Amino acid sequence: MLTIHTKLVEAMITQAHKDHPIETCGIIAGPQGCNLPLRLIPMRNAARSAVFFKFDPNQQLQVWRDMEARDEEPIVIYHSHTDTQAYPSRTDVKFAAELRAHYVIIPTNPIYGDEIRSFRICDGMVTEERVRMLDSYKSEWELAMVA
């Protein structure tokens, strides 16, 4: 299950609609080993495509170095689907390299609704998971720090 702050969900949706008709993309970083998304990092879609996203390689390198320096990891990897349902495409599955990450997809075509969906992708297998949105992380953060 993905537990995520409502403000982060709102920020992903806002970015997706702003970037439409190009697929938006980015990550949400959090402390190593805590599975708690905290810091949203919008990324550039180097593909500039309505049907495919690709992180800008230079930006990705810098972001991953920054996360390492902060003792963070990518908790959420997100992107939008501009004209299809929020379900990983074959290309999404093929390039899913972060085994511990939650892969969030935001639909921007009103036909498919406005609810984000989250998936785990491992060895080509896609598993949808529940998304729990919170207005506060206080208790979640305290639990994560004790674990």
Side-chain angles (χ1 to χ4, degrees):
M1 175 174 56
L2 170 62
T3 300
I4 188 168
H5 199 286
T6 304
K7 289 188 186 290
L8 293 170
V9 172
E10 291 168 356
M12 286 188 295
I13 292 170
T14 297
Q15 179 187 343
H17 286 286
K18 182 181 83 67
D19 290 348
H20 186 84
I22 302 299
E23 281 196 9
T24 201
C25 58
I27 69 158
I28 304 176
Q32 281 279 356
C34 287
N35 198 33
L36 192 63
L38 295 176
R39 188 169 65 95
L40 187 127
I41 306 166
M43 304 278 286
R44 286 185 297 281
N45 180 350
R48 303 282 307 148
S49 170
V51 297
F52 175 76
F53 84 96
K54 178 182 178 191
F55 290 149
D56 175 280
N58 293 327
Q59 183 186 27
Q60 183 177 6
L61 180 61
Q62 184 58 46
V63 167
W64 260 248
R65 283 180 176 166
D66 186 46
M67 281 191 298
E68 185 177 349
R70 294 169 171 253
D71 201 25
E72 294 176 329
E73 64 184 334
I75 306 297
V76 172
I77 296 177
Y78 67 90
H79 73 283
S80 62
H81 279 188
T82 60
D83 203 30
T84 60
Q85 67 175 319
Y87 191 85
S89 68
R90 277 185 255 139
T91 305
D92 294 337
V93 173
K94 180 180 178 182
F95 290 109
E98 296 291 337
L99 300 179
R100 295 176 40 160
H102 303 270
Y103 286 86
V104 170
I105 301 176
I106 307 128
T108 56
N109 184 326
I111 290 173
Y112 299 104
D114 59 358
E115 187 173 4
I116 68 163
R117 293 172 71 187
S118 183
F119 304 88
R120 294 295 189 133
I121 303 173
C122 183
D123 295 328
M125 298 296 298
V126 176
T127 306
E128 186 165 7
E129 61 183 348
R130 282 186 43 223
V131 176
R132 184 174 119 194
M133 292 187 282
L134 302 174
D135 291 328
S136 169
Y137 272 162
K138 185 172 175 19
S139 61
E140 303 297 321
W141 180 255
E142 290 169 351
L143 288 173
M145 291 298 105
V146 174

